[in-house]
Amino acid sequence: MRKGKRNKRIIITFGSAATGSSRRLQKKMFGLSFLDSKEDETPVPPPPPSLEVLPSEVSPSLNFTLEPVNLGELTLLKGRVSTKEVLGLPNSDLVPGVYEGGLKLWEGSIDLVKALRLDVQNGNISFSGKRVLELGCGHGLPGIFACLEGAAVIHFQDFNAEVLRYLTIPNVIANVPKKLQPAATIETNCQSGAEVRFLAGDWSQIHQLLPCVKYDEKDLNCHPGDGPTSGYDIILMAETIYSVSAHQSLYGLIKKSISRPHGVVYLAAKKHYFGVGGGTRRFLSMVENDSSMDACLVAEVADGSSNVREVWKLSVK
């Protein structure tokens, strides 16, 4: 496996509430009781159509509460909403093809923000003036951090429009200074000149809607690197590779969306997701076999009781 330069490898140790055996842990974290039932054989429904969600679509009647997330010298806010109230589903972490866990704040999002802060402080990355895409955003904390660090464009993507409408957008508004808050327009331009937009859809289709990706409907090709404003300089994602069945579509989206030749991807995930087969080892093996991107380990998070978590940086060769 190509791991690139590893002189910036960081070992982070901090507490986790996860306990128990690996398989029980994954069932608890992802609502995976269906793994031992006949529901495995139930076909996944077709993905919802891709669409843009505007800040004006947020419902003020939703029961939305805020809690602090302490990240050392940085404190962000995380929203809390009811899965039942938002989606009409029981409080499950995952319903394949229907709900992909966007209403829960996963450990990888916190790991990613911490790793990004260290890389910014060490001069390894700068968000100033950059185009940023957060995939599978949920609460959107990594994208929010990018906004606070001066990114020019921040696009948040999630599978469910409801997650963006009832969680991501209110969370961005709660965390970002008033002068940077997105306007309720189609362009969603911040007063600072930054552009914040929210896009819902499946990874196999969302490239058609991403503003920084040139999509040609006639020949079905994407051209992320055809000009100086094409593609995303930085792609962020946390806890997105738990399902092996989604690896190809996710990696395909990354290659269609990343700016060339200097675009980078920050990936936070567990080394293994027991019971569902995904994890950094399976995903990075696919990346290595493709031979178009290099991978460098940025951080390893170990607490001694739960599965090892990692943050990787991918760059275009």
Side-chain angles (χ1 to χ4, degrees):
M1 181 179 299
R2 296 176 176 86
K3 298 183 180 179
K5 296 181 180 178
R6 300 186 59 170
N7 57 318
K8 293 298 182 181
R9 188 172 184 265
I10 303 161
I11 304 298
I12 307 173
T13 58
F14 52 88
S16 169
T19 58
S21 71
S22 297
R23 187 167 178 82
R24 290 198 304 272
L25 172 66
Q26 295 307 321
K27 288 184 180 181
K28 180 179 179 182
M29 291 181 64
F30 289 96
L32 297 177
S33 58
F34 64 85
L35 287 173
D36 295 324
S37 72
K38 292 183 179 179
E39 290 179 24
D40 276 339
E41 302 173 2
T42 303
V44 175
S50 300
L51 57 90
E52 180 165 5
V53 178
L54 304 180
S56 59
E57 298 178 34
V58 174
S59 172
S61 62
L62 185 73
N63 183 19
F64 179 83
T65 59
L66 288 167
E67 300 174 0
V69 180
N70 296 316
L71 302 165
E73 298 177 359
L74 174 68
T75 298
L76 297 178
L77 298 172
K78 67 171 182 176
R80 181 183 293 274
V81 293
S82 165
T83 307
K84 185 174 183 180
E85 185 177 358
V86 173
L87 295 164
L89 297 170
N91 288 321
S92 173
D93 293 337
L94 175 66
V95 181
V98 177
Y99 165 60
E100 298 292 340
L103 296 176
K104 179 174 179 176
L105 180 62
W106 300 97
E107 294 168 311
S109 293
I110 298 174
D111 297 340
L112 181 53
V113 175
K114 289 186 175 184
L116 291 172
R117 284 192 70 226
L118 286 173
D119 259 14
V120 169
Q121 292 171 359
N122 293 331
N124 297 325
I125 190 73
S126 171
F127 287 94
S128 180
K130 299 295 178 59
R131 300 181 300 273
V132 179
L133 171 65
E134 184 180 355
L135 297 174
C137 61
H139 286 73
L141 294 188
I144 288 168
F145 176 77
C147 187
L148 296 174
E149 287 292 319
V153 171
I154 310 97
H155 293 161
F156 295 88
Q157 178 274 336
D158 199 272
F159 180 79
N160 297 102
E162 293 87 352
V163 169
L164 298 173
R165 191 174 293 122
Y166 297 116
L167 178 65
T168 312
I169 294 174
N171 216 50
V172 170
I173 292 173
N175 280 280
V176 177
K178 193 170 185 178
K179 67 177 182 177
L180 295 177
Q181 287 182 13
T185 66
I186 292 178
E187 293 299 325
T188 321
N189 290 317
C190 298
Q191 294 180 19
S192 67
E195 176 189 283
V196 180
R197 298 173 73 166
F198 305 90
L199 306 141
D202 187 78
W203 291 326
S204 64
Q205 302 174 0
I206 194 67
H207 60 275
Q208 302 174 34
L209 195 62
L210 292 176
C212 291
V213 176
K214 293 183 179 181
Y215 176 68
D216 190 333
E217 294 184 354
K218 294 182 179 179
D219 62 16
L220 302 181
N221 288 324
C222 291
H223 309 282
D226 285 351
T229 60
S230 298
Y232 293 91
D233 302 303
I234 304 171
I235 297 177
L236 307 173
M237 54 186 191
E239 308 280 11
T240 54
I241 59 171
Y242 57 87
S243 174
V244 175
S245 63
H247 283 188
Q248 287 289 346
S249 60
L250 175 58
Y251 186 51
L253 175 60
I254 289 170
K255 292 196 292 182
K256 292 171 184 174
S257 305
I258 196 165
S259 177
R260 299 175 186 276
H262 302 301
V264 296
V265 180
Y266 278 84
L267 160 68
K270 295 174 178 60
K271 185 178 290 187
H272 302 287
Y273 289 89
F274 296 99
V276 283
T280 57
R281 290 299 171 268
R282 289 289 295 271
F283 187 79
L284 292 172
S285 176
M286 178 185 64
V287 173
E288 180 187 21
N289 291 335
D290 180 65
S291 300
S292 64
M293 303 189 79
D294 281 320
C296 174
L297 181 65
V298 175
E300 182 178 280
V301 185
D303 55 27
S305 61
S306 65
N307 192 4
V308 174
R309 309 192 301 273
E310 299 174 333
V311 179
W312 286 81
K313 183 177 180 179
L314 310 181
S315 56
V316 179
K317 288 186 177 180

